[in-house]
Amino acid sequence: MRAAIPSVLACLLLAGIGAATPVAAKPETVADWLVQSSATDWRDLDLENTLYLELPTGRVVIELASEFAPEHIRNIKALVREGFYRQLPIVRAQDNYVVQWNEPSEAPPKTLTKASRSIAAEFSVTLPSYFTFTPLPDRDGYAPKTGHVNGFAMAMDPDSKQGWLTHCYGAVGIARGNAIDSGSGTAMYVVTGHAPRHLDRNITLVGTVRQGMPLLSSLPRGEGAMGYYTSADHYTFITDIRLAADLPPAERSTLQVLRIDTPTFQGVVEALRNRGGDWYQRPAGYIELCNIAVPVREAPQS
Amino acid sequence: MRAAIPSVLACLLLAGIGAATPVAAKPETVADWLVQSSATDWRDLDLENTLYLELPTGRVVIELASEFAPEHIRNIKALVREGFYRQLPIVRAQDNYVVQWNEPSEAPPKTLTKASRSIAAEFSVTLPSYFTFTPLPDRDGYAPKTGHVNGFAMAMDPDSKQGWLTHCYGAVGIARGNAIDSGSGTAMYVVTGHAPRHLDRNITLVGTVRQGMPLLSSLPRGEGAMGYYTSADHYTFITDIRLAADLPPAERSTLQVLRIDTPTFQGVVEALRNRGGDWYQRPAGYIELCNIAVPVREAPQS
């Protein structure tokens, strides 16, 4: 019996009773895990790969996954620096699918100086031997394996050693015509509905929205076929798209994304797979890739 | 060589050249299948189980799946006939999740005459031996088997013989508190984001939206926790919810839903599994339950 006392004491200490620094109980929910996360669990967004899509209603923050689509991302940066996106309209908002921006068909195309209008498709990449990603334990319907790399949802095929970004909510891609190299970043889209995973490896994805999705997802839907607006009067005009690194620090967002190679992220995933708390009656024991929102937060004031 | 001639002729005839009645080519896309559908491939919505959620911006048409939640649906009809939903606010719009309506916390609860505020949970039903559903060929992460019954997305477990409606985009459910019988239809929600399938069998679903989703999905998101509006000034008020059967024919919508026990629906599913046309480079060979929008159309003028 006496032997039990130390462990009881230890339990009380772990529960935060009598401890100088209260230590919380075992995390159960996503919120629990995030509250208990440490500063090193988070990373700043990569300024060289972060776009600010500025709308009259606010800022949408996009992080680019340069490992997956380097040529498209290089071209997007050229377009940004030419001012290509300035006053470009959102021409399409298709319910449960995508919003899209590009030059309106009513106006002549802009003249490009350094950027290109045709970039070779980057639908998937060959994974180098040193590539690591954090796999999910659960099966996926669309791909042999899914998981995350650097905070981006991805899928992979171990046999062919191919990896690709996936069309989850908030994914940002390069619209194209029928020719696979007909996209370049002059027309882009964001997924605003149930993940259209059948698009995976059919079109180039470049990144994901880290903040500001409601500014896109709550836009009035286009009344035409495929959600295109039938009148320019219905367009929302993009003030500009800018690269975070090009802005003075005071104009930058200060977001951080949870590192996926941490016990905290594993805890988040497990909390999503088997939801606790008082409400859930039947934890699913499963989480689908696109039901994981990689946590983002405002950087703490230093 | 001569033997080839008849088949060339047959091909030309099949392509509609020279034929008295043009016959289309083998359907390839969903649109192809729907164009070639016959009148008997479609059914009218069930007037006794169709709700019109009337908003200032238009009508949302909800069809109820009475086999899955008969007691909740009975109670919803009682609430409808008491005028309970008249001027009820949409109090919540959480991005990539749900919209929800219920009595605002600022006002005293309405007095009910026939309807109840507590109905026993109807999270799943025991499937009778005569129950038939149209299964999907593809695996699902959240359930042993998925498919459709009467145009509703569902999942089932053959071992336990349980079946349940699934939280796909447009699914309509009964909000509840922690107690599983704390819902009754006085608070309801509609899924407006990526399918939160982890809610399956944790809360009672009653049906699906057949028309008008954009009126809900494009509502401004609530600025509070869980997407609740923090001010009544931000509410959208429901004009009323009415049962189609209670209205004179001239006020009814005339929608039809594709029967799922038809070759046309099977063709639609296969067209979604392996998308054809000039655009797709790599058909997925797979379709996830919640990526199938069961086709709905306006009934042809007779």
Side-chain angles (χ1 to χ4, degrees), chain A residues 95 139-140 169 202 217 281, chain B residues 95 139-140 202 217 281:
Chain A
D95 194 57
R139 71 183 184 184
D140 181 74
Y169 187 81
N202 280 289
S217 61
Q281 297 294 316
Chain B
D95 194 57
R139 70 182 184 185
D140 181 75
N202 279 290
S217 61
Q281 299 293 315

Side-chain angles (χ1 to χ4, degrees), chain A residues 123-189:
Chain A
F123 296 166
S124 67
V125 295
T126 301
L127 299 176
S129 56
Y130 59 81
F131 183 91
T132 56
F133 89 124
T134 304
L136 288 177
D138 297 312
R139 71 183 184 184
D140 181 74
Y142 287 95
K145 201 74 196 160
T146 58
H148 294 85
V149 60
N150 206 23
F152 296 97
M154 65 167 287
M156 67 175 294
D157 177 0
D159 291 340
S160 65
K161 296 198 181 349
Q162 294 293 296
W164 56 94
L165 297 174
T166 49
H167 279 82
C168 295
Y169 187 81
V172 181
I174 303 291
R176 67 166 174 88
N178 286 347
I180 61 169
D181 63 352
S182 57
S184 68
T186 59
M188 295 178 67
Y189 65 96

Side-chain angles (χ1 to χ4, degrees), chain A residues 12-23:
Chain A
L12 290 174
L13 288 170
L14 281 172
I17 300 171
T21 307
V23 179

Side-chain angles (χ1 to χ4, degrees), chain A:
Chain A
M1 289 295 287
R2 290 192 62 191
I5 294 172
S7 43
V8 168
L9 273 177
C11 286
L12 290 174
L13 288 170
L14 281 172
I17 300 171
T21 307
V23 179
K26 183 177 184 300
E28 188 177 26
T29 67
V30 172
D32 292 342
W33 279 101
L34 298 185
V35 164
Q36 297 196 20
S37 66
S38 66
T40 56
D41 286 341
W42 300 83
R43 68 166 176 82
D44 294 333
L45 297 199
D46 177 2
L47 294 177
E48 290 290 344
N49 284 297
T50 296
L51 300 178
Y52 300 143
L53 166 64
E54 310 281 4
L55 295 173
T57 47
R59 174 178 285 183
V60 178
V61 179
I62 296 167
E63 195 174 29
L64 302 169
S66 55
E67 306 85 344
F68 287 89
E71 296 309 319
H72 281 83
I73 289 171
R74 203 187 317 274
N75 202 56
I76 289 170
K77 291 181 188 175
L79 289 164
V80 161
R81 287 165 176 161
E82 288 189 22
F84 173 83
Y85 296 108
R86 213 162 289 150
Q87 291 304 312
L88 211 63
I90 294 176
V91 297
R92 179 185 186 192
Q94 184 170 357
D95 194 57
N96 192 26
Y97 198 44
V98 296
V99 295
Q100 181 179 321
W101 56 90
N102 52 243
E103 295 156 290
S105 53
E106 308 87 76
K110 297 188 181 192
T111 302
L112 303 185
T113 54
K114 290 184 175 170
S116 170
R117 286 191 181 270
S118 173
I119 302 285
E122 295 176 301
F123 296 166
S124 67
V125 295
T126 301
L127 299 176
S129 56
Y130 59 81
F131 183 91
T132 56
F133 89 124
T134 304
L136 288 177
D138 297 312
R139 71 183 184 184
D140 181 74
Y142 287 95
K145 201 74 196 160
T146 58
H148 294 85
V149 60
N150 206 23
F152 296 97
M154 65 167 287
M156 67 175 294
D157 177 0
D159 291 340
S160 65
K161 296 198 181 349
Q162 294 293 296
W164 56 94
L165 297 174
T166 49
H167 279 82
C168 295
Y169 187 81
V172 181
I174 303 291
R176 67 166 174 88
N178 286 347
I180 61 169
D181 63 352
S182 57
S184 68
T186 59
M188 295 178 67
Y189 65 96
V190 175
V191 173
T192 56
H194 186 78
R197 293 279 309 280
H198 48 274
L199 295 177
D200 291 359
R201 288 193 286 178
N202 280 289
I203 189 162
T204 300
L205 286 175
V206 293
T208 194
V209 171
R210 296 286 185 209
Q211 189 178 60
M213 271 305 293
L215 303 180
L216 299 174
S217 61
S218 63
L219 286 173
R221 278 31 176 173
E223 57 289 331
M226 296 167 68
Y228 281 94
Y229 296 108
T230 54
S231 163
D233 293 344
H234 301 165
Y235 289 163
T236 296
F237 287 89
I238 293 169
T239 311
D240 203 358
I241 299 181
R242 299 181 297 173
L243 189 72
D246 291 350
L247 296 189
E251 293 182 34
R252 295 176 190 155
S253 297
T254 54
L255 298 179
Q256 296 186 320
V257 60
L258 186 64
R259 292 183 192 274
I260 50 93
D261 55 347
T262 57
T264 299
F265 183 73
Q266 289 304 309
V268 165
V269 169
E270 192 51 36
L272 292 171
R273 296 182 75 243
N274 287 298
R275 293 180 198 234
D278 295 326
W279 192 87
Y280 280 92
Q281 297 294 316
R282 181 191 287 269
Y286 176 89
I287 189 72
E288 190 225 319
L289 176 68
C290 292
N291 266 320
I292 299 172
V294 177
V296 171
R297 70 172 187 183
E298 295 287 343
Q301 302 289 327
S302 57

Side-chain angles (χ1 to χ4, degrees), chain B residues 83 137 171 174 195 207 209 231 295:
Chain B
I174 303 292
V209 171
S231 163

Side-chain angles (χ1 to χ4, degrees), chain B residues 124-141:
Chain B
S124 66
V125 295
T126 302
L127 300 177
S129 56
Y130 60 81
F131 183 91
T132 57
F133 89 123
T134 303
L136 287 177
D138 296 313
R139 70 182 184 185
D140 181 75

